[in-house]
Amino acid sequence: MEQQQQIKRLRLVLFPLPLQGHINPMLELATILYSKGFSITLIHINFNSPNPSNHPHFTFHSIPHSLSEAEATTKDAISLITHLNINCVEPFKECLARLISNALDNESVCCLIADAMFHFTQAVADSLKLPRLVIRTTSATSFGIFPAFPLLLQKGYLPLQVSRLEEPVVEFPPLKVKDLPVMNMRNPEKFYELISRAVSETKASSGVIWNTFEELEQPALDSIAKQLSIPMFPIGPFHKYNLAYSSSSLLVEDQSSISWLNTQPPNSVIYVSFGSLAVLSEAEFLEIAWGLANSDQPFLWVVRPGSVHGSEWLEPLPNGFLENLGGRGHVVKWAPQQQVLGHLAIGAFWTHSGWNSTMESICEGVPMICRPSFIDQNVNAKYVSNVWKVGVQLENEILERGEIKRMIIKLMREKEGEEIRYRVSKLKDMAISCLKQGGSSYKYLESLVNHIHSLGH
Ligand code: UDP
């Protein structure tokens, strides 16, 4: 009997948040753990679902979200996540219980790995006596500020007040109040409540998996480990393991991005993308267009349909705008970003500083121009520009074509840009070497695998 149990294959159940920036790292993690001998099941909500046929080695189970049309199509991610944490409890519990009781004779479901923002999953896992690990898909540095929210509220840094935005937050140098991982919302209580639950249910978990590497974020990782007293597994960068990843893109990746890059000189192109959620005003969109046009550098620009208020796609551009640039600018709706950043023609990445984009840029040694929108992006941008010094930040509240042009020139043609490029190439080397045998992420992955085995017994 004992011998029989020893040869049981261990199955992991993964539960991603249905947003692009959370789905990508979860599926990368699934591929990494599959390569370590685990069987993988994904439970996903029937909304922004990953395509199972791209991942034939994994088993997929869909659960209903029961959101109204308005709740499901909201651009307010906090409200979406809050609703999902309420609506998904019962269908998730039912599905997980079924998976545990229907496990094949030679398999046992040994652990749940859930996105940290699905805080309700801890209570469900507890009720089914299943250990739960958490994946946090942002930087450790930004998450490390969340446990201090009560203090930041008590000290009056939060809620944000216009008069204090430029004040340093002495507890978290070099951040200023405007860099704190929050959103400018009319009713921030809902956000604080979500964060507080995410922190407490992460603390109650059996450990956190991070898409980062120790050398990059050691102080934050140490501080979180101390505060939450749970094991930490910084095993990133996920997408740089030498594995065959299938795309988990929810939008079609326009391959003309690559054929156009093939026609450009090395290190010349500014790649511009603000991720899957950020939205611009029409005025901001036009300043970006003119800033890029006036910089005289070639650019590849991702304009997600619906990402400019009041427009479907490129309608606000003046007639003939792109044609007049004589092929110097290429605009797509969605790009194969990891491939784009690895292309020789790319010279810089103008990003909203989402954590996946930041890691993907570091891993290809591409310097960044940062223009964060909200929450962790604020912290990431500050660390990119002021701590790791691998990019510059557009700090002015109002986007302006002159400043955009100056930043591009600084990064692409001036000495400061050369120094930034040198530093990001060093960080790239570090990111790659930590995955090699004996490297920090390599060792943390070994300890994660052992940890999961110990949870399974
Ligand atoms: N991405 C992509 N094509 C694009 C823009 C983004 O494949 O045109 C991917 C990108 O590689 C990253 C993810 O979408 O993995 C965005 O995640 P991030 O954390 O940077 O930002 P979010 O979308 O969550 O704000």
Side-chain angles (χ1 to χ4, degrees):
M1 177 70 187
E2 216 174 30
Q3 243 181 359
Q4 246 178 17
Q5 274 181 352
Q6 272 171 7
I7 55 162
K8 273 195 173 183
R9 198 175 162 89
L10 296 182
R11 181 167 287 279
L12 307 176
V13 178
L14 276 54
F15 186 41
L17 202 71
L19 296 173
Q20 186 74 75
H22 295 248
I23 292 171
N24 289 0
M26 186 65 105
L27 278 155
E28 287 161 359
L29 176 65
T31 311
I32 294 166
L33 292 174
Y34 179 77
S35 80
K36 291 290 171 189
F38 296 103
S39 303
I40 303 289
T41 292
L42 274 114
I43 301 181
H44 64 89
I45 295 169
N46 62 349
F47 160 76
N48 277 353
S49 308
N51 183 352
S53 62
N54 285 347
H55 311 278
H57 302 305
F58 308 156
T59 309
F60 287 79
H61 291 269
S62 174
I63 59 169
H65 55 64
S66 315
L67 299 173
S68 68
E69 173 76 18
E71 287 165 350
T73 53
T74 178
K75 288 202 168 19
D76 175 354
I78 300 307
S79 155
L80 175 73
I81 297 170
T82 304
H83 284 300
L84 290 176
N85 268 291
I86 298 166
N87 289 14
C88 293
V89 178
E90 285 313 317
F92 178 76
K93 187 171 176 179
E94 248 172 57
C95 182
L96 189 56
R98 208 170 348 105
L99 288 173
I100 294 171
S101 64
N102 290 356
L104 299 173
D105 283 347
N106 63 347
E107 268 194 354
S108 88
V109 173
C110 74
C111 164
L112 167 69
I113 303 181
D115 193 289
M117 298 315 284
F118 272 143
H119 53 72
F120 80 87
T121 55
Q122 184 63 46
V124 172
D126 287 345
S127 72
L128 298 171
K129 300 203 169 20
L130 187 68
R132 168 184 177 256
L133 287 167
V134 160
I135 172 177
R136 182 60 189 154
T137 58
T138 63
S139 59
T141 306
S142 64
F143 186 84
I145 299 168
F146 289 159
F149 268 23
L151 174 76
L152 298 174
L153 282 158
Q154 189 197 327
K155 290 200 146 191
Y157 294 125
L158 297 179
L160 292 184
Q161 295 163 58
V162 176
S163 58
R164 297 188 69 176
L165 291 179
E166 292 298 329
E167 216 176 284
V169 180
V170 288
E171 292 79 2
F172 292 103
L175 301 188
K176 294 180 177 177
V177 171
K178 66 178 181 184
D179 305 316
L180 288 171
V182 291
M183 266 179 121
N184 219 344
M185 310 168 74
R186 235 176 285 138
N187 176 9
E189 275 68 33
K190 199 161 57 171
F191 176 66
Y192 302 147
E193 167 64 16
L194 179 64
I195 294 304
S196 145
R197 294 294 307 277
V199 170
S200 63
E201 301 311 296
T202 297
K203 188 171 166 53
S205 76
S206 301
V208 194
I209 303 168
W210 301 91
N211 185 13
T212 189
F213 51 101
E214 192 173 51
E215 290 81 346
L216 187 66
E217 296 200 273
Q218 180 135 37
L221 289 163
D222 289 349
S223 146
I224 299 167
K226 207 159 123 200
Q227 290 180 72
L228 303 191
S229 315
I230 50 169
M232 309 280 279
F233 302 100
I235 61 164
F238 292 176
H239 70 292
K240 281 299 186 184
Y241 282 77
N242 207 1
L243 298 169
Y245 293 107
S246 305
S247 168
S248 47
S249 205
L250 298 169
L251 299 172
V252 177
E253 296 166 331
D254 187 334
Q255 295 300 330
S256 75
S257 312
I258 304 299
S259 45
W260 181 82
L261 284 174
N262 289 341
T263 65
Q264 302 301 316
N267 278 326
S268 66
V269 175
I270 318 284
Y271 170 58
V272 186
S273 167
F274 304 120
S276 62
L277 297 170
V279 174
L280 300 165
S281 69
E282 185 173 319
E284 288 173 322
F285 176 72
L286 286 172
E287 288 307 305
I288 294 171
W290 285 114
L292 291 170
N294 297 342
S295 74
D296 285 335
Q297 291 290 143
F299 60 88
L300 171 63
W301 185 9
V302 177
V303 181
R304 231 176 52 244
S307 65
V308 181
H309 272 305
S311 306
E312 296 214 339
W313 195 38
L314 302 180
E315 308 85 276
L317 286 181
N319 272 343
F321 176 84
L322 284 169
E323 294 73 6
N324 291 341
L325 293 174
R328 182 160 60 79
H330 188 63
V331 181
V332 295
K333 293 179 176 169
W334 194 249
Q337 179 165 304
Q338 292 178 358
Q339 217 185 325
V340 163
L341 286 168
H343 197 286
L344 277 178
I346 294 294
F349 180 13
W350 180 0
T351 169
H352 69 309
S353 301
W355 186 242
N356 295 294
S357 295
T358 305
M359 281 298 276
E360 288 161 8
S361 204
I362 287 175
C363 289
E364 302 305 336
V366 175
M368 285 165 265
I369 298 176
C370 303
R371 172 73 180 177
S373 291
F374 47 69
I375 320 183
D376 61 303
Q377 299 161 13
N378 300 332
V379 181
N380 302 340
K382 195 53 159 227
Y383 268 67
V384 164
S385 58
N386 284 41
V387 178
W388 305 317
K389 299 194 167 86
V390 293
V392 291
Q393 182 170 355
L394 286 160
E395 295 249 16
N396 289 344
E397 171 81 18
I398 296 178
L399 263 183
E400 194 271 318
R401 62 190 76 183
E403 194 201 2
I404 295 170
K405 178 179 165 184
R406 272 192 303 282
M407 282 298 188
I408 293 177
I409 290 174
K410 188 198 264 191
L411 208 52
M412 299 300 289
R413 296 179 223 156
E414 292 180 359
K415 179 131 185 29
E416 192 179 334
E418 256 173 56
E419 290 163 2
I420 289 174
R421 197 170 298 276
Y422 174 75
R423 278 192 293 271
V424 74
S425 73
K426 292 283 142 205
L427 216 48
K428 169 189 169 171
D429 295 345
M430 232 183 246
I432 303 305
S433 59
C434 72
L435 297 180
K436 296 196 178 129
Q437 191 165 5
S440 63
S441 295
Y442 181 95
K443 288 195 211 152
Y444 276 114
L445 178 58
E446 278 187 337
S447 63
L448 172 63
V449 169
N450 292 336
H451 186 58
I452 296 175
H453 278 283
S454 75
L455 295 173
H457 290 291

